[in-house]
Amino acid sequence: MKLIITESKHKSVVFKYFDKFGGEVDNQFINMFKLDDRTGMVSYEDAYKYLIEWRGEEESKELAKTLLLQNPHHIDDYGGYDFFFEVVDIDNWRLDEGNVVVNVKVNELSGTVDLIDGDHKTLDDALNNEDYGWEVDNEINWGIDEYFKKNITSKTGINIIFHKAEYHTL
């Protein structure tokens, strides 16, 4: 006997989960639906799409906007980095694709990074280093991307896109 589970069945199960535990694609959801496993019943993309549908597009958008504008945002748990950044512009809402584009600015003077060699630097000094400044810049952008996934996309289903952090004193 072959069991066929349709997308509507998956969606129904996910909606029941959201009704019971709240609308968030958190660690419990990821483990329950095996999102990090190829045998999972839904993908991250489907989970976020269902979350937007469950919450409603307008409510998802308003929640994302509220969370994005709670400036400044603080990253202190990403690979030795500790810095603040602000979302300075929100444009191009594309909920049909589940995306929004934002611009971010990082306060490079108050931020710090602990380097592999044990050295502690301000972001300004690390970014201006000709040997590894490019790597610090990449890692800051990756950290912001992870922050958005963990703190906004997981709660709203909306993927936050930014091109590259700008640096200045906030």
Side-chain angles (χ1 to χ4, degrees):
M1 185 169 135
K2 188 174 185 180
L3 179 64
I4 299 175
I5 299 177
T6 63
E7 181 182 6
S8 65
K9 294 278 187 198
H10 288 166
K11 184 173 20 175
S12 174
V13 171
V14 171
F15 276 29
K16 286 178 184 176
Y17 177 91
F18 288 152
D19 289 339
K20 184 171 184 172
F21 297 105
E24 186 170 359
V25 180
D26 57 6
N27 286 337
Q28 180 178 325
F29 182 95
I30 291 166
N31 291 333
M32 172 83 76
F33 292 97
K34 300 180 190 251
L35 266 60
D36 289 330
D37 185 352
R38 288 194 156 154
T39 63
M41 65 185 272
V42 295
S43 65
Y44 278 95
E45 183 179 329
D46 288 338
Y48 296 144
K49 179 178 75 173
Y50 295 156
L51 181 56
I52 291 171
E53 189 175 333
W54 176 81
R55 193 178 296 286
E57 282 189 10
E58 279 306 308
E59 187 177 333
S60 292
K61 183 178 175 179
E62 286 305 310
L63 179 57
K65 187 175 181 180
T66 298
L67 294 170
L68 285 166
L69 294 176
Q70 287 180 347
N71 288 317
H73 300 273
H74 186 206
I75 293 180
D76 64 352
D77 61 350
Y78 186 79
Y81 288 87
D82 187 354
F83 63 91
F84 290 91
F85 72 94
E86 290 188 356
V87 174
V88 294
D89 190 26
I90 302 174
D91 51 59
N92 206 3
W93 289 94
R94 295 188 313 249
L95 291 187
D96 56 322
E97 297 175 21
N99 298 325
V100 64
V101 178
V102 301
N103 294 318
V104 299
K105 289 191 176 182
V106 173
N107 185 341
E108 65 189 289
L109 294 180
S110 70
T112 60
V113 59
D114 294 323
L115 302 175
I116 292 175
D117 65 5
D119 202 5
H120 186 77
K121 298 267 190 196
T122 66
L123 286 186
D124 188 45
D125 289 341
L127 286 163
N128 289 319
N129 184 290
E130 56 187 54
D131 292 329
Y132 55 79
W134 61 272
E135 187 174 359
V136 170
D137 180 46
N138 286 340
E139 290 174 353
I140 288 169
N141 284 287
W142 295 334
I144 293 170
D145 188 54
E146 286 298 314
Y147 176 92
F148 283 148
K149 286 177 185 171
K150 180 180 175 185
N151 295 289
I152 302 188
T153 303
S154 69
K155 294 173 174 60
T156 66
I158 298 172
N159 186 36
I160 312 303
I161 298 171
F162 70 102
H163 300 292
K164 187 173 178 328
E166 297 175 31
Y167 299 98
H168 73 100
T169 304
L170 298 174

